[in-house]
Amino acid sequence: MSTLVDRLVAGGLLAELAPVSAQRAGRPAVPLVPAARSVVGVGLEVNVDYLGACVMDLTGDVVDERVIPGSFHDSDPSLVLPRVGELARELVEEAASDGMRVAGARLALPGLVDARSGILQVAPNLGWSSVEPVELLGLDGLHVEVANEAKLAGLAELTGDVSPSFLYVSADVGIGAAVVVERQLFLGERGWNGEIGHVVVDPAGPRCSCGSFGCLEQYAGKEAVNRAAGLPPDSSVEALVRAVEAKSPEAQAAVRRAALALGSALGDFVNLVDVGTIVFGGPYTTLLPLMRDDIAAVLADRVLSAPFAPVELRAAVAGPYAAMAGGAREVLRDVLASPADWV
């Protein structure tokens, strides 16, 4: 054991703290902790309204982060992804100059990502289809994998005292979800599950960017709620909350409509999958106090098991850029799964 620990310390995966006096005969104990700013992972993200990159170390601290606001609706991936690659190069070079070793990167995208090939099949709100993102990043020498942004954001919730199994649901323009079972991401056959934003809640509803009608994101997506509230589509969630608190009838009705639609879709999901905890991320983290009662009421009415086991509704804790953090954390999980590669 001492030999293994010495190798992990020498390899920069563990750090020793000051010895603690023993309560009985023997040498003082030497506490061990994950090493800070040694081996790091990089999280990258393309969102509808920003591009971002972050670096996380083995302690879970984000040691660097860059976010570029913008509008990337119907954008050109051959122009957008090289910008993300440039962000990543800057962070990797700075980390290397500070003596850190970069283990790899995960790129979060809001769409259907083939978990086996890394191809983005479709991202309706970006207007992208059949894209091979890694090549366009231009990050030669850095191992990059691609994943759905909601799934990576869900994995970012696996910190502290959290249920080992839950549904993570988050909204931006679209609405994505991640199914976590016993602290592991459930991907389905091709990694395409979790597209709860395209669950139809009203077949007679408005046409969605995916081509269907009455999808959940047309009622509970951020832009849809803002429009229904009489606000500009790109308004912040804080502006929406202020409108509700000011008793705006339009804003109150928009948030209630979103909550009822969300409760309907989530009720179907709980009946199918039997998950006991739902974690709300993105703008839903801020909106949950305004939506909780309506969502809970729909779940109590629609979920068959609700009288025996009410569904727990919880706000996410991973922060506004959870997908980037989750991506970096996944890189570091690979390091911990095979530490011999790094010592």
Side-chain angles (χ1 to χ4, degrees):
M1 182 62 72
S2 295
T3 300
L4 291 174
V5 169
D6 288 344
R7 291 182 62 194
L8 293 170
V9 171
L13 301 185
L14 288 178
E16 296 179 327
L17 300 181
V20 177
S21 299
Q23 300 299 315
R24 56 186 180 183
R27 293 182 298 175
V30 179
L32 299 167
V33 294
R37 297 175 179 261
S38 54
V39 178
V40 296
V42 176
L44 309 173
E45 183 177 3
V46 177
N47 203 295
V48 176
D49 51 12
Y50 67 84
L51 308 177
C54 75
V55 175
M56 178 182 289
D57 68 12
L58 290 166
T59 71
D61 286 341
V62 174
V63 299
D64 203 351
E65 183 177 83
R66 310 282 171 83
V67 175
I68 300 176
S71 178
F72 301 100
H73 283 286
D74 300 319
S75 56
D76 186 342
S78 67
L79 300 176
V80 173
L81 288 167
R83 293 179 65 187
V84 179
E86 183 59 34
L87 274 180
R89 270 191 297 276
E90 292 174 4
L91 292 183
V92 168
E93 290 171 1
E94 291 186 16
S97 68
D98 289 336
M100 292 177 258
R101 292 179 291 163
V102 179
R106 290 286 193 283
L107 170 63
L109 296 173
L112 292 181
V113 176
D114 190 317
R116 298 166 298 183
S117 66
I119 295 175
L120 174 70
Q121 299 291 358
V122 62
N125 292 311
L126 293 177
W128 297 4
S129 61
S130 301
V131 176
E132 297 185 22
V134 175
E135 294 181 3
L136 294 174
L137 291 172
L139 293 172
D140 296 335
L142 181 66
H143 179 70
V144 183
E145 295 184 16
V146 188
N148 172 268
E149 55 89 20
K151 291 179 173 58
L152 291 178
L155 289 171
E157 290 297 309
L158 290 173
T159 58
D161 184 18
V162 64
S163 171
S165 301
F166 57 87
L167 171 69
Y168 174 89
V169 58
S170 175
D172 207 280
V173 176
I175 303 171
V179 184
V180 178
V181 180
E182 294 300 324
R183 304 185 68 84
Q184 299 294 322
L185 191 63
F186 175 73
L187 291 173
E189 185 176 345
R190 293 175 296 269
W192 297 350
N193 67 330
E195 292 295 328
I196 196 170
H198 299 290
V199 170
V200 174
V201 295
D202 181 4
R207 192 173 185 89
C208 181
S209 60
C210 74
S212 187
F213 291 87
C215 291
L216 176 62
E217 73 174 43
Q218 298 304 309
Y219 297 87
K222 184 177 74 172
E223 290 189 358
V225 178
N226 281 335
R227 284 194 294 267
L231 299 171
D234 59 352
S235 296
S236 67
V237 66
E238 289 77 17
L240 177 61
V241 170
R242 288 195 295 270
V244 173
E245 292 175 343
K247 307 297 184 184
S248 162
E250 287 182 312
Q252 290 178 321
V255 170
R256 186 165 193 270
R257 185 183 77 151
L260 295 176
L262 191 56
S264 176
L266 291 173
D268 291 343
F269 186 92
V270 174
N271 280 331
L272 285 169
V273 179
D274 184 28
V275 65
T277 301
I278 301 174
V279 179
F280 293 82
Y284 288 157
T285 303
T286 303
L287 291 174
L288 184 57
L290 303 177
M291 303 170 73
R292 182 188 295 273
D293 289 347
D294 286 323
I295 294 174
V298 176
L299 292 176
D301 185 53
R302 298 282 186 87
V303 175
L304 187 62
S305 61
F308 321 107
V311 180
E312 178 187 359
L313 308 180
R314 185 171 64 78
V317 297
Y321 304 116
M324 287 193 294
R329 189 179 298 277
E330 280 300 281
V331 173
L332 296 174
R333 279 164 63 100
D334 290 346
V335 173
L336 297 179
S338 184
D341 296 339
W342 295 90
V343 299

